[in-house]
Amino acid sequence: MSENPKLTKKDFMSDQEVKWCPGCGDYAILAAAQSAMAKIGVPPHQVCVVSGIGCSSRFPYYVSSYGMHSIHGRAPAVASGVKLQNPELSVWIVTGDGDGLSIGGNHLAHILRRNLDVNIILFNNEIYGLTKGQYSPTSQQGTKTKSTPFGSFDRPFSPAKFAMGAGASFFARTIDTDPKHMMDVFMQAAAHKGTSLIEVFQNCIIFNDGVHDDFTNRKVRDEHTVRLEEGKPLIYGADQDKALCLENFEFKTIPADSEKCITHDPSNKNLASLLSNLDGHNGPIPLGVLQKFEAPIYEEDFYSQIEAQVAKKGAGKMKDLLMSGNTWKVD
Amino acid sequence: MSENPKLTKKDFMSDQEVKWCPGCGDYAILAAAQSAMAKIGVPPHQVCVVSGIGCSSRFPYYVSSYGMHSIHGRAPAVASGVKLQNPELSVWIVTGDGDGLSIGGNHLAHILRRNLDVNIILFNNEIYGLTKGQYSPTSQQGTKTKSTPFGSFDRPFSPAKFAMGAGASFFARTIDTDPKHMMDVFMQAAAHKGTSLIEVFQNCIIFNDGVHDDFTNRKVRDEHTVRLEEGKPLIYGADQDKALCLENFEFKTIPADSEKCITHDPSNKNLASLLSNLDGHNGPIPLGVLQKFEAPIYEEDFYSQIEAQVAKKGAGKMKDLLMSGNTWKVD
Amino acid sequence: MKDLDQVVIRFSGDSGDGMQLTGTQFSNTSAQMGNDLATFPDFPAEIRAPQGTVAGVSGFQIHFGAVEISTPGDEPDVLVAMNPAALKANITDVKKGGTIIINEDAFNDLGYKKAGYAEEPITKLEKEYRVINAKITSQTKEALAEVELDSKSKARCKNFYALGMTYFMFSRDLKPTLEWIQIKFGHNKILSEANAMALKAGYHFADTIEASGESYKINPATIEKGIYRQISGNTALAWGFMYAAENSGLDLFLGSYPITPASDILHELAAHKNFNIKTFQAEDEIAAMSSAVGAAYAGALALTTSSGPGIALKSEALNLAMMLELPLVVVDVQRGGPSTGLPTKTEQSDLNMALYGRNGESPIIVLAAKSPSDCFKMAFEASRLAIEHMTPVMLLTDGYIANGSTPWRLPDLDKDFPQIKVNKAEPQENFLPYKRNPENLVRQWAIPGTENLMHRVGGLEKENDTGNVSYDPANHELMVTLREEKINKVALNIPDQKVTGNPNAKRCLVSWGGTYGSVSKAVENLNKDGIEMAHIHIKYLNPLPKNLESLLRGFEEITVCELNRGQLAGYLNSKFSLNVKKYNKVQGKPFKEREIYQLMGDL
Amino acid sequence: MKDLDQVVIRFSGDSGDGMQLTGTQFSNTSAQMGNDLATFPDFPAEIRAPQGTVAGVSGFQIHFGAVEISTPGDEPDVLVAMNPAALKANITDVKKGGTIIINEDAFNDLGYKKAGYAEEPITKLEKEYRVINAKITSQTKEALAEVELDSKSKARCKNFYALGMTYFMFSRDLKPTLEWIQIKFGHNKILSEANAMALKAGYHFADTIEASGESYKINPATIEKGIYRQISGNTALAWGFMYAAENSGLDLFLGSYPITPASDILHELAAHKNFNIKTFQAEDEIAAMSSAVGAAYAGALALTTSSGPGIALKSEALNLAMMLELPLVVVDVQRGGPSTGLPTKTEQSDLNMALYGRNGESPIIVLAAKSPSDCFKMAFEASRLAIEHMTPVMLLTDGYIANGSTPWRLPDLDKDFPQIKVNKAEPQENFLPYKRNPENLVRQWAIPGTENLMHRVGGLEKENDTGNVSYDPANHELMVTLREEKINKVALNIPDQKVTGNPNAKRCLVSWGGTYGSVSKAVENLNKDGIEMAHIHIKYLNPLPKNLESLLRGFEEITVCELNRGQLAGYLNSKFSLNVKKYNKVQGKPFKEREIYQLMGDL
Ligand SMILES: Cc1ncc(C[n+]2csc(CCOP(=O)(O)OP(=O)(O)O)c2C)c(N)n1
Ligand SMILES: Cc1ncc(C[n+]2csc(CCOP(=O)(O)OP(=O)(O)O)c2C)c(N)n1
Ligand code: SF4
Ligand code: SF4
Ligand SMILES: [Mg+2]
Ligand SMILES: [Mg+2]
């Protein structure tokens, strides 16, 4: 993949001043993505970053590449047009929990279903940042915001479950406080053929500070998260002493050395469905790649069909078409 | 629930001529729904049926009750407004695979997430009927339609998985060829507090005839479907001789009398997630209630919050509000 | 055998009776016999409403003649009614004294009941019309007695029997249809034979009973020399875009979501994948529009197609395309509005939305096609202007010209169309994505994947030249004005407005879009009858042709006729401070020639 | 101590410097001292752009005086600049010869660099402005030396120090702010004391250095008697709807999706649940609009609130409400367009979309509020007309009046507002949902849950009276016309248009919406200076007041001034065949009085 091994993070940094709030988690995600892009090695002019609207969606301005800061919620649809027109491009979509799961939920679901080969980074800060703090579809019940001064009461979406529901061929979760993990996940997503959705737990220091602390804070996160690796057992805890097993269709925590411990296999859809039900309350929340399987790539079939028709009927010529079928001459 | 035990199906039949194609599966669904409504016993004037656009969405015109044939894909949002304004109403949403999962996918997902106490019937004929036959998000790969003359290639949504992904508190599947099963499922849905989504395999005799035959045709359906009942084992087959178990996170078919056979528990989300992965190719497709659990009802919390504020601050009066805080007098 | 100048015939029956096919055969045959013609199908709103009901009636009208034909005709001279519902649905349209062919077999109590007739209507009718009774179903079956088909299948050939009757009445050549049957059903000998036999049986039956009193001859029209084909507006539109792609060397991308009456454009383009056409059926209109924006950014000739409610949904993403200054075409096949309205009916009530339906100052090019075959040209024009001016273009057609068809003299693609100038940026140092050609204010198209043209675009206001986000007040005013001026300058790249009819008349009729046929014909007849009348038919609606204002100021009276409540009239008033008269019709139906004639003729 | 008629002061600093609070205190104090005033906050587009940068500057302007004040003022007489970025962002606005208070502590090399100053700007400035240097940060810290707070927290009190300085300069009473500090920080004694001390320290410092050369007195204005409060447009709007609900006895339902600058209406209504307000934050604008349609069907006074891009998305569902003839109000708080545009800036460029942005013939009522406090009245009017005429109403405001605030003389709710007439159907046999009141063509509202009023509605064309689906051509024309007529008849239920300024002048300025303040002030000054000028400010845009046409025809010259490229001008031309002059500004900023004055004054 590495066409250009000399690329560095700097090659993906644009000349625009980054304008997020000081301390915002977005900075770390941007940096990790730029580093990952450099390692992946697609030259910047073959990269196209498409976003919607939100703090997170300012992202394309900061990446030296082609890019579009489109409209609220529609990035997956815009990016589908980009990718279908030019499947050679490495297309990245950047979205937020509002952009991607509130107004844009349907487009997100449909791109996952179609499985175009693009990568989607969903910045989940459980809040609408840019509009100054209203609750979002991922906000926990009881979240007090400007629009819910007495607490929200709807149940949040789990992006993981949402992705499974839409048939995502790749879903991963990572955290803004672990640059290495982020980079690793971004690179796995890029390597995967098909639509890759990556949820990043991102801290909005202004409107929802600390909401992910249990899972992102270095001091406690290992107790509340389980890091998934293909072929490895589901072990977690600061001392890596706990493991997960399934009993009567419920997850149980058992000692790490137990035989019943589940081994991770992201290609097993049933296992992935089960893992997506872990939400941090009923067991540790999984980080890393929950689901990854091979499925037909939309744009490949799209172009194969065109090629098959050309092969069958010859490249179309308008003059021939005009003369085809029922015509008559007047003289 | 039965306020009015004398209601009959006829009480729910409007004076409008039903205009579906002869032989369309919609007729049977309408009849079953009307019969179920009569049995449920909510008087017609306390029922409100809201639909989008599509053949299926003509439904409200045929039910004697309040109703709205709204716009394409938006029925869940319209119905949310109806229900929030008047939670006493028994609100039914009628939608199709195009209306509910193509243009309207996001609204469907969000109403499921919020869990308003409404019932949704999704007519799944895997085609756009009203616009004369284009493929839909539930069409099987390879479906040849006017818009996909060489076959579609996107993977279909599974309404069941979609529902799980959105956190549905009730999901059931039924078939247009089994009036009794339909009625039973409709009544269970109505009895459930929260958003109930019912997928009906519906035959479009004109544009997608026979697409559900494996699962709906009396002659073969028992081999390809498993009927779910709470507390009962997952047994299927014309002779009820097969059962399902889970081994290494894969479903296996075993003899009906095996001990490993799974017992159905719709309140177990993990089991429901697994069952939603059964698509007829990797095992029999489940009919009946896949998932049902208790969750907060949106409109109940919505009103509780209002009541709590009234209790705390007293019923608001505009005159007091105008004079509250910082005012001054000019004379 | 009498000669006739022109005839209007309508075939009408149940959705399942094959009337569309029958009508198409009649029109193909007439075209090949050298008549000029125009056709219009009339589908029921329901897919297949209950058999025998008025809701389920499907019709097809053909206007053919030895003279120039501009519309499918005001009132049928002949109605073929395959059942009572068809009679009920159409009788008010038929010309008084006209001929009605009824299929007696279906005119029974059950049929009357389904159609909602309280009593048998024929007796009354016979006083005002010439009614020809024919046992079409049973006669067909009888004619096919020997054929090895079940009775139901035999009955299904009855449309060819009816067609045969009309062929005799109007001296149509059987050959084209017999050949077509051969090709269409060739693989099934029995069916092929049965249909051919039914056609001939009907023909002979009419001969025997001397069905039409006598039969008529309609001589070939004097038509411009050339090779012709029948084409519907939606097909012509699809082909026009395909040709624009071929001409410009760009890939054609369509992002669309089905909706009546626009879906057929998607179907047509999807069928021609061997032309390297990319069709994407999106999850909704917003995604369709957005995918077109993405494809345009990536270098495609991008389209999206829809009708009223869908176009409304595209507003926000279309505005983004305007802001980004990307070329793409939005087709609005107008239907009866507002809201869901009358989906299968025609109207011209989306002009205001096309011009004004976006937030902020959002000028785009707006064009309208005037006839089925003109759709080819206007699709090309829309593409050409979008590409040459780096802007979205809204192209308006309507349900009437989209589904209607006319013979189309095939253009010479090499000579009749200009070369589209594609405006792609060459790789360069310090590329400025929003630097403009000083003459037409157009920016360059920088295609992703090209080295040295990297840039980011977005919906926020951007600095001129650099395209960077800018909140600067003066820059905002500059950009708003530049975008407006850019569209105004398109007037230099479109043809001047022509005046037809009598350009020296004091009175002028103004029309736009799909009403061209009836209005131009009415104007022709008015002038023939000594009522002087000019006609201005506007195809370029924004910007308006640069000579239009002075042309309009030359008339004493201007009447704008349109199928809405006066949208073009209001627009012309607002642009030129005129005080035009309005003539409007909002019935889901096109103008009749007669309506326009009477309006202007009754002084 | 000199007397001044009026002063404009702008507080400006980093987003974190508390300038909004400082400005609010200054205006509250001035109001309580009897001055008339108007204020305007100016937020950065970024939530909190990097500290010290121009992108992160937040400002608050107050125009106060002993005379009537109509706008927040053209040019600040005094600028308080807490850092170099604040200076840079605002300096071009400050009146030549005006006063600039700078916080010396922030004016260092680092500060200059962050602000993008190549060199120290003060020396140059001192030639044109009176610059008052004050070590605001360090002096504050020093004043709080004894207080038990960390140094950072002490520094955070610096805005009160700056406020204290301005209080001395303009002889403001310290008491209201001291009391407010007491209430606000009462629970935290230390903070409360610190802020109070900082305020006093600044006051005394200004006294000592005789900061303003001398200090000024601004006498109370002669203001209408009554009880007053400060109110912003968005709050007034929310309260207006709440009052309409109380007045009509209906439940208030808001379906909304956040968007700048409309979100505060949602926030305000969500905070008042004890008024039985139902606020629903939907998943997008389409769902917000659709939920309002559902709630309206079920009997609520239903609202939805948004800005340009969101309003565009509501088009299709709004059209459904129009078709169903249900009452609801759509609020468009206009911002800089097109597309995402300039979200935090003001503009008036959505008028065309409000009038025309829907498919088909879709007339609705369009209103516009003229000032922050007028939002209360217009919210009531919008509700009243929606309910009494069973139709959606679009109410336009803009970012300027939404965020700006003025003192508001509290109305007498019992006397100043009419009783809204709710049009609910009584249970009846054979209910006809689309039967109309012959006078105003309004149908009745049949609320689900009521026995004997069951009916179904939908977006397809409906038969008059019954509301059943109808494809009948004549019925369609009838319904389109009835819906249009119904809206036209609203003109009988709105006030006649008033003319202000000199009604007998030959020239007339026409304005609408949030520009009222500057235009009316300019007209007042023009007439004062002997330049005769009439002023027509239109609040009811569709239908227009019934006397408007004849009023307009009475003038020799009409100039329509608006913050767009001429939308009202085009609309008036199209309605009345006029040929108005246009004066437009599209800079994301309101008109200045001076601009209007000069335009009309320079003959
Ligand atoms: C059509 C439209 N509706 C609403 C908005 C206002 N808006 C901008 S961003 C946003 C939500 C952003 O939330 P999220 O996607 O979570 O991004 P974050 O700012 O938290 O990174 C909203 C509601 C808009 N710009 N356009
Ligand atoms: C905004 C909008 N877009 C498109 C349409 C056209 N349309 C009507 S129904 C339909 C799809 C119907 O499919 P489905 O929901 O599966 O219903 P079915 O007819 O199969 O019952 C479409 C695309 C429309 N009416 N409105
Ligand atoms: S508001 Fe929150 S999400 Fe937005 S830039 Fe600031 S910290 Fe980041
Ligand atoms: S088109 Fe299909 S879904 Fe629609 S009414 Fe006919 S059979 Fe039913
Ligand atoms: Mg967010
Ligand atoms: Mg369907």
Side-chain angles (χ1 to χ4, degrees), chain C residues 326-361:
Chain C
L326 285 173
L328 55 80
V329 181
V330 180
V331 175
D332 180 357
V333 184
Q334 298 167 97
R335 65 188 216 182
S339 193
T340 310
L342 295 172
T344 58
K345 305 294 172 190
T346 198
E347 207 160 286
Q348 300 187 300
S349 50
D350 292 351
L351 176 60
N352 274 336
M353 179 171 66
L355 293 166
Y356 301 124
R358 293 166 297 283
N359 62 298
E361 293 292 348

Side-chain angles (χ1 to χ4, degrees), chain A residues 17-22 27 53 55 58 69-72 74 98-99 102-103 128-136 145-150 153 206-207, chain D residues 43-51 53 55 114 257-260 263-264 266-268 270-274 279 281-286 313 339-340 343:
Chain A
E17 196 188 344
V18 183
K19 285 185 186 166
W20 289 309
C21 304
Y27 286 96
I53 301 280
C55 295
R58 296 287 170 100
H69 178 223
S70 77
I71 46 176
H72 199 30
R74 318 304 173 188
D99 190 66
S102 194
I103 191 168
Y128 293 172
L130 189 71
T131 47
K132 306 198 177 170
Q134 297 82 12
Y135 87 121
S136 94
T145 68
K146 287 191 183 131
S147 59
T148 52
F150 313 111
F153 36 75
I206 302 295
F207 297 113
Chain D
F43 305 113
E46 266 60 50
I47 299 301
R48 207 162 283 187
Q51 226 195 340
T53 63
K114 280 193 194 162
Y257 185 70
I259 189 168
T260 305
S263 311
D264 282 340
L266 165 63
H267 304 160
E268 180 67 21
H272 292 296
K273 298 236 152 155
N274 63 317
T279 59
Q281 181 177 312
E283 57 272 27
D284 65 11
E285 286 87 354
I286 300 176
L313 287 169
S339 193
T340 311

Side-chain angles (χ1 to χ4, degrees), chain B residues 26 53-57 71-72 74 95-100 103 123 125-131 134 136 202 204, chain C residues 257-260 285 306 309-310 313 335 340, chain D residues 316:
Chain B
D26 291 1
I53 301 282
C55 295
S56 32
S57 288
I71 47 175
H72 199 31
R74 318 303 173 188
T95 184
D97 44 313
D99 190 66
I103 192 169
F123 289 47
N125 55 12
E126 301 189 358
I127 198 85
Y128 294 171
L130 191 69
T131 48
Q134 297 83 13
S136 94
Q202 175 242 325
C204 170
Chain C
Y257 186 71
I259 188 168
T260 306
E285 285 86 354
S306 191
L313 287 169
R335 65 188 216 182
T340 310
Chain D
E316 193 206 5

